[in-house]
Amino acid sequence: MSAHAPAETVGKMLIDGKMVESEGGGWLHSVSPADETLLGRVPIGTAADMNAAVEAAERAQPAWAALPVAKRVGHLKALADAILARREEFAVLEALDTGNTVGPMRRDVENAVERIHFACGLAHEIKGETIPNGGANIHMTLRVPYGVVGRIIPFNHPIGFAASRIAPVLVTGNTTVIKPSEQSPLSASLLGELCAAHLPAGTVNIVTGGLETGETLVRHPRVKRIGFIGSAATGMAIQRAAAETAVKHVTLELGGKNPLIVWPDANLDKAVAAAVSGMNFGWQGQSCGSTSRLMLHEDIHDAFVERVLEHVRAIRVGHPLNDGVTMGPINSKAQYEKVLSYIRLGQEEGARLIFGGSRPQGDAFERGYWVEPTIFADVAMSMRLAREEIFGPVLSILKWRDKDDVIAMANDIDLGLTASVWTRDLNRALHAAQRLEAGYIWINGVGTHFRGVPYGGFKNSGVGREEGLDELLSYTEVKAVNILLD
Ligand code: NAD
């Protein structure tokens, strides 16, 4: 193995600057998706723990917001440096806990740190405006923090999301309570220790646990702003639950079933590579932006599929800490069973399984949640295989002939997160970009999130935009001040 596995982890929660266990004494166990051995445990946060966390955040917020912006930025940069210094520890823990291969997890840590610096760089741009209205009066807006922000994190990029999303919330003068995923909770404790060391007590609180712990946060009447990353179904549940206790600002970064559309004139070498890299096999397809619907023009379909298969044959499935491995196990038993059920469904629906679909052979795969990279051809938009997010290593290939039909096919689902368009004809590409119902579109590219470019979904893929200035602004409320001159 290239990376070294740590001993069993016993995590704690961060509440009011202290690392604590649950007041209820409950523990959540985390097993390795590679072999189902116990990796560690974290406390199950109760309603009392959540309440203590929200109260600590509330107490800390006025003093935090009153700090000069440069001082807030200073704290966050110190946190970023501390995270980077522990990069290897985070990456190994994440690889073991998520099943994602360790290389991309190292990059996740770096990305989180870069995003903290990005938010720090924008800190002074969070400002109001003056509004000309004739006459002698002066009209202006102030941007003020919400107070306590609840952030709920999915399993696929735990530190990537938890750490990077702290910065926009804090830099704008809010404090926060974070609820990590119960499927990959181990790194949250290390993040908590670093927050305790570099931020004033109460500014960041981390409460581990499952659905109930998340729901308690969402329902807390004094948490007026929720930022959620996860599935569409949970997003809808969160909107409902939030509205039952107060009027809240809820933003949602949700799932996708994203099309990658190839025209015959595209640079086919690059498009083939993108069709495979866009699936994010390095984390088993478990990425919201994965382009899991490959839509090929009929003139290039057969040859393109052959070339995709050549690339997929080169994927090395194995333990996420092993050198040279490019795909690990599925994150959890539930997710594994979901992926297998979609593979069965695809076959029942009449799609043609042309690669994978089973557990890989060999002693290393006897236990754990292993599935081969899986490819279906002859998929039609009438099939659930083409319409629903699987969140696994399953690529569906669809054939098209007419330029209007392909856009209609791409748009014919409830989700609309990303899309990737491959053609050398810029006019055609821009027409497609105008008509595709997706929040983030690549033309002759795939996968990369560019710093400062807003990311988020149309339709059931979300509400709001993250990763750019919009995200920072969304953590402020606008207050209008009208000065009436004599
Ligand atoms: P999930 O929705 O099952 O869980 C996400 C988080 O919500 C977890 O922390 C969970 O404990 C919590 N939760 C579950 N039910 C809750 C409830 N009723 N109230 C409050 N909290 C609740 O998602 P997941 O399986 O962890 O992650 C996979 C999903 O996340 C996929 O759909 C993926 O596309 C999506 N995702 C989206 C983005 C994006 O940026 N758009 C990024 C990553 C993942």
Side-chain angles (χ1 to χ4, degrees):
M1 281 191 196
S2 57
H4 181 69
E8 196 184 309
T9 305
V10 180
K12 291 196 174 171
M13 307 190 288
L14 173 62
I15 298 179
D16 203 11
K18 295 180 199 69
M19 299 303 293
V20 296
E21 295 181 3
S22 159
E23 65 76 49
W27 292 95
L28 185 69
H29 293 91
S30 187
V31 298
S32 157
D35 56 16
E36 296 171 87
T37 53
L38 188 65
L39 291 173
R41 59 193 158 117
V42 297
I44 299 177
T46 62
D49 292 319
M50 190 56 84
N51 207 38
V54 172
E55 282 176 3
E58 233 174 6
R59 276 194 305 277
Q61 196 269 332
W64 176 251
L67 281 182
V69 174
K71 285 244 188 284
R72 274 185 247 149
V73 163
H75 281 290
L76 284 164
K77 287 187 172 174
L79 175 66
D81 290 346
I83 292 170
L84 197 56
R86 307 287 286 268
R87 183 189 76 147
E88 191 60 15
E89 220 174 313
F90 273 118
V92 170
L93 206 50
E94 300 272 79
L96 289 167
D97 207 11
T98 60
N100 300 345
T101 52
V102 70
M105 291 298 96
R106 292 188 180 109
R107 187 69 203 122
D108 254 25
V109 180
E110 290 161 1
N111 247 319
V113 166
E114 284 168 22
R115 286 177 182 179
I116 295 174
H117 284 291
F118 172 75
C120 288
L122 284 175
H124 283 94
E125 290 304 313
I126 306 307
K127 58 196 181 193
E129 50 192 8
T130 55
I131 300 144
N133 208 8
N137 300 338
I138 296 174
H139 309 275
M140 64 180 183
T141 59
L142 308 177
R143 288 219 168 243
V144 296
Y146 275 88
V148 180
V149 172
R151 287 249 42 168
I152 299 178
I153 306 295
F155 73 76
N156 57 335
H157 298 284
I159 182 71
F161 287 132
S164 66
R165 294 332 199 250
I166 285 173
V169 173
L170 258 62
V171 95
T172 43
N174 302 280
T175 54
T176 189
V177 179
I178 298 173
K179 210 297 281 174
S181 167
E182 63 276 33
Q183 304 296 353
S184 53
L186 296 182
S187 64
S189 187
L190 179 52
L191 179 63
E193 283 171 27
L194 302 183
C195 289
H198 296 283
L199 300 172
T203 48
V204 171
N205 303 271
I206 303 178
V207 182
T208 43
L211 185 163
E212 293 80 10
T213 311
E215 213 176 303
T216 315
L217 176 59
V218 169
R219 286 180 182 277
H220 200 291
R222 295 200 303 285
V223 178
K224 298 298 293 283
R225 174 77 175 89
I226 304 285
F228 172 72
I229 310 178
S231 64
T234 308
M236 291 184 214
I238 284 178
Q239 276 188 324
R240 273 196 302 276
E244 280 175 16
T245 55
V247 172
K248 303 188 182 206
H249 181 170
V250 178
T251 49
L252 305 169
E253 287 278 349
L254 309 175
K257 183 78 177 184
N258 310 302
L260 187 148
I261 306 172
V262 189
W263 268 262
D265 71 335
N267 178 330
L268 294 180
D269 291 342
K270 287 189 174 173
V272 167
V276 179
S277 73
M279 270 301 294
N280 298 309
F281 285 110
W283 43 100
Q284 303 73 250
Q286 297 168 145
S287 176
C288 55
S290 297
T291 41
S292 53
R293 281 189 295 160
L294 175 57
M295 306 180 119
L296 300 174
H297 189 276
E298 61 178 5
D299 289 353
I300 52 163
H301 177 277
D302 294 356
F304 198 102
V305 170
E306 274 314 307
R307 294 187 62 191
V308 166
L309 289 177
E310 276 168 32
H311 281 247
V312 173
R313 280 188 203 106
I315 292 173
R316 263 196 64 202
V317 181
H319 194 284
L321 295 186
N322 278 356
D323 282 328
V325 162
T326 50
M327 181 174 145
I330 304 291
N331 171 259
S332 65
K333 190 157 196 246
Q335 190 63 25
Y336 170 68
E337 282 166 0
K338 180 180 169 196
V339 171
L340 292 184
S341 76
Y342 272 102
I343 293 172
R344 281 194 299 275
L345 178 72
Q347 290 167 300
E348 285 159 19
E349 285 182 312
R352 190 159 51 94
L353 181 64
I354 58 171
F355 195 89
S358 310
R359 180 179 274 269
Q361 300 291 308
D363 295 349
F365 307 114
E366 266 175 18
R367 293 175 64 81
Y369 315 133
W370 300 96
V371 182
E372 295 167 314
T374 298
I375 304 191
F376 281 97
D378 299 343
V379 178
M381 280 311 297
S382 55
M383 300 176 186
R384 284 177 57 201
L385 193 65
R387 311 184 69 80
E388 296 174 17
E389 183 188 47
I390 301 172
F391 215 57
V394 183
L395 176 63
S396 297
I397 303 180
L398 299 93
K399 196 188 281 187
W400 60 276
R401 179 184 306 167
D402 177 84
K403 67 178 177 17
D404 293 321
D405 286 350
V406 71
I407 301 295
M409 284 160 69
N411 288 341
D412 184 27
I413 56 169
D414 293 336
L415 298 165
L417 187 58
T418 72
S420 169
V421 172
W422 287 82
T423 170
R424 286 188 165 103
D425 181 337
L426 191 57
N427 193 49
R428 172 188 288 156
L430 290 176
H431 274 297
Q434 277 184 328
R435 294 167 65 199
L436 284 167
E437 294 164 0
Y440 201 89
I441 296 175
W442 295 278
I443 294 173
N444 298 325
V446 79
T448 311
H449 291 219
F450 297 97
R451 201 66 69 229
V453 179
Y455 188 84
F458 278 34
K459 304 195 272 191
N460 287 351
S461 288
V463 176
R465 295 293 178 265
E466 298 199 339
E467 303 185 17
L469 182 60
D470 291 7
E471 182 178 5
L472 277 75
L473 294 175
S474 81
Y475 287 107
T476 62
E477 291 202 88
V478 173
K479 185 187 284 184
V481 180
N482 300 287
I483 303 162
L484 308 181
L485 301 177
D486 280 342

